[in-house]
Amino acid sequence: MTVTTPDIDSKKLRVEEAPPSRVIHIRKLPNEASEAEVIALGLPFGKVTNILTLKGKNQAFLEMGTEEAAITMVNYYTTVTPHIRNVPVFIQYSNHKELKTDASNQRTQAVLQAVSAVQSPSSDVQEILAAASSPVLRIIIDNMFYPVTLDVLQQIFSKFGTVMKIITFTKNNQFQALLQFSDPVNAQQAKLALDGQNIYNSCCTLRIDFSKLVNLNVKYNNDKSRDYTRPELPAGDGQPSLDPTVAAAFSKDSNSLLGKIPGALNPLSAAAAAAAAAGRVALAGQAGSSGVLLVSNLNEEVSNTHMNTRVYGDVQRVKILYNKKDSALIQMSDSNQAQLAMSHLNGQKMYGKIIRVTLSKHQTVALPRDGLDDQGLTKDYANSPLHRFKKPGSKNFQNIFPPSATLHLSNIPQDVTEDDLRLLFSNAGGTVKAFKFFQDRKMALIQMSTVEEAIQALIDLHNYNMGGNQHLRVSFSKSTI
């Protein structure tokens, strides 16, 4: 970068007050101050067109788009002392009318664009400063047809800087995450590039904004949270920790994984490809392209262990383990459906017990050999009429949501009343809290008192014959009543 350095003799500047200029001189910056934080000082007053930081001298020069914006900025900070990282900084006009720096410097331009993107007409100084100095992003995934794991997020966002911590959770029936970078600038660049983009074609849309948090407190390294700076953290409360084979796979160059991804990806290019690879890598060290799940801690009195996973894919085969009746192998149609079921169902309460869902090392669930009686422990559902996802691009993929207390009902016969449905679901062992018909009365929402009751009702009543060979369809809803 070619730089013509302005006169920065601080003693001279303190004695001689420069006339108004588009260029603002900022002094006594804290050592760790970022370019983004300096730019944010000027954003409330107008467009920032250039910046020059002098790290060794704890000084910076900020060029505003107009002299009027610079005057407004200096006048404001004359009455309100600006702070960066709780350190007061000093602002005055520079003797220079413009900053002569290399305009093609990509980092400078990227920082200017990224930080400017956080400004809105309603933003005040403190809001912009808070956003610009936060290394933590809040991420919401819309249209999540396929699972989005910690490793998928790490693969995508690490393209923009060092990802230090991630915490995932479900709020308002939406999968969300908090992700912390090592530098606020990286967070701003990631938001600018990824907000509104899809991880996979036509689904898993990223909605990104800045968190008010500046540091995440991660207690456990498991499938819900990860501190990449502290690999020694425990998995916590029986949650699975990262499998060593998976960790090894992710340590490789992500490009080596791209050949494993069939189908076209969206314009996220390398980031999307890495994300798609990440979604499947969890299987790479264990079961190749297998879609087999190991479900454990089941209530042994419940035999229809396959039913609940049908919400997240088509179940092909189920095998209850002979020597461990509280565990079952469930074969889904493909690995994406297996991961989707695992991400939504692991840790859920079913028939009074917290179930555990992990990926199995088995490639398939084997049927019993001819003539061998396995006491009905293995069932084949390959030709089941209950399969929801046979057709590629089926609309059913758009109605996949995490378990919730509210269920979506469809294919309701015209002569079925609200009282009929309330009674049906009450008899399934739950308490109906609320009910709402859609306008055409072919669909409805029904809210149970707990998520566990909703899960049980879905298992018992999906495909229930309502008469006239009309079968009720039940799925989890993202809405509430």
Side-chain angles (χ1 to χ4, degrees), residues 254-269:
S254 60
N255 288 330
S256 67
L257 303 170
L258 303 187
K260 300 178 184 179
I261 309 306
L265 294 172
N266 68 341
L268 265 183
S269 64

Side-chain angles (χ1 to χ4, degrees), residues 410-417 437 441-442 466-467 470-472:
S410 61
N411 205 36
I412 302 171
Q414 286 293 333
D415 58 348
V416 172
T417 66
F437 262 124
R441 297 182 68 86
K442 292 180 181 178
M466 302 294 292
Q470 262 191 282
H471 294 79
L472 185 68

Side-chain angles (χ1 to χ4, degrees), residues 27-228:
R27 296 181 292 123
K28 297 197 174 179
L29 291 167
N31 290 329
E32 65 275 18
S34 68
E35 290 173 308
E37 291 168 298
V38 175
I39 293 169
L41 290 174
L43 281 180
F45 309 99
K47 185 178 180 181
V48 177
T49 54
N50 212 343
I51 182 174
L52 171 63
T53 56
L54 303 169
K55 291 284 188 182
K57 297 182 179 294
N58 300 95
Q59 298 184 29
F61 292 86
L62 203 63
E63 182 184 273
M64 303 299 292
T66 65
E67 189 173 291
E68 289 75 17
I71 292 170
T72 304
M73 178 180 172
V74 171
N75 288 344
Y76 177 83
Y77 288 131
T78 300
T79 57
V80 179
T81 302
H83 287 72
I84 291 182
R85 305 201 178 207
N86 295 320
V87 175
V89 297
F90 297 90
I91 288 179
Q92 61 193 68
Y93 298 114
S94 167
N95 286 318
H96 293 259
K97 296 299 180 183
E98 63 178 334
L99 284 180
K100 297 179 181 178
T101 62
D102 184 352
S104 66
N105 183 277
Q106 291 184 350
R107 175 178 168 79
T108 299
Q109 295 308 309
V111 172
L112 283 167
Q113 290 175 8
V115 182
S116 297
V118 310
Q119 185 180 20
S120 68
S122 61
S123 298
D124 63 21
V125 179
Q126 296 305 318
E127 286 175 341
I128 294 174
L129 282 174
S133 61
S134 174
V136 180
L137 295 175
R138 183 172 71 104
I139 302 157
I140 297 174
I141 309 293
D142 287 338
N143 303 322
M144 197 171 84
F145 302 163
Y146 296 112
V148 177
T149 64
L150 284 169
D151 299 307
V152 169
L153 293 172
Q154 196 272 343
Q155 286 279 353
I156 296 173
F157 284 84
S158 63
K159 300 292 180 184
F160 300 90
T162 302
V163 174
M164 299 179 69
K165 305 171 186 178
I166 306 176
I167 297 173
T168 63
F169 54 96
T170 300
K171 184 177 181 182
N172 299 328
N173 292 328
Q174 280 189 308
F175 179 86
Q176 301 189 29
L178 294 170
L179 183 146
Q180 181 177 338
F181 279 100
S182 59
D183 189 323
V185 171
N186 303 138
Q188 289 140 14
Q189 291 171 334
K191 180 186 184 300
L192 185 68
L194 297 177
D195 187 28
Q197 296 280 8
N198 296 328
I199 297 176
Y200 304 111
N201 274 343
S202 304
C203 68
C204 300
T205 306
L206 294 163
R207 302 295 178 198
I208 305 171
D209 57 22
F210 292 97
S211 170
K212 293 180 180 178
L213 300 172
V214 293
N215 185 51
L216 299 180
N217 182 22
V218 176
K219 295 181 179 179
Y220 304 115
N221 282 341
N222 53 36
D223 60 340
K224 303 293 184 186
S225 62
R226 192 79 49 81
D227 186 335
Y228 295 94

Side-chain angles (χ1 to χ4, degrees), residues 334-350:
D334 59 43
S335 59
N336 281 324
Q337 292 183 6
Q339 287 216 11
L340 193 62
M342 179 180 69
S343 66
H344 284 317
L345 296 177
N346 182 44
Q348 292 291 342
K349 197 172 186 180
M350 241 175 98

Side-chain angles (χ1 to χ4, degrees), residues 169-170 173 223-224 239 295-299 308-309 312 340-357 401-405 450-456 459 476:
F169 54 96
T170 300
N173 292 328
D223 60 340
K224 303 293 184 186
Q239 293 283 355
V295 185
S296 57
N297 203 38
L298 290 164
N299 187 318
N308 197 38
T309 55
Y312 302 113
L340 193 62
M342 179 180 69
S343 66
H344 284 317
L345 296 177
N346 182 44
Q348 292 291 342
K349 197 172 186 180
M350 241 175 98
Y351 293 97
K353 301 187 75 174
I354 303 293
I355 65 169
R356 297 295 175 210
V357 185
F401 303 107
S404 67
T450 65
V451 174
E452 182 184 5
E453 286 183 3
I455 290 174
Q456 183 173 332
I459 292 171
F476 296 115

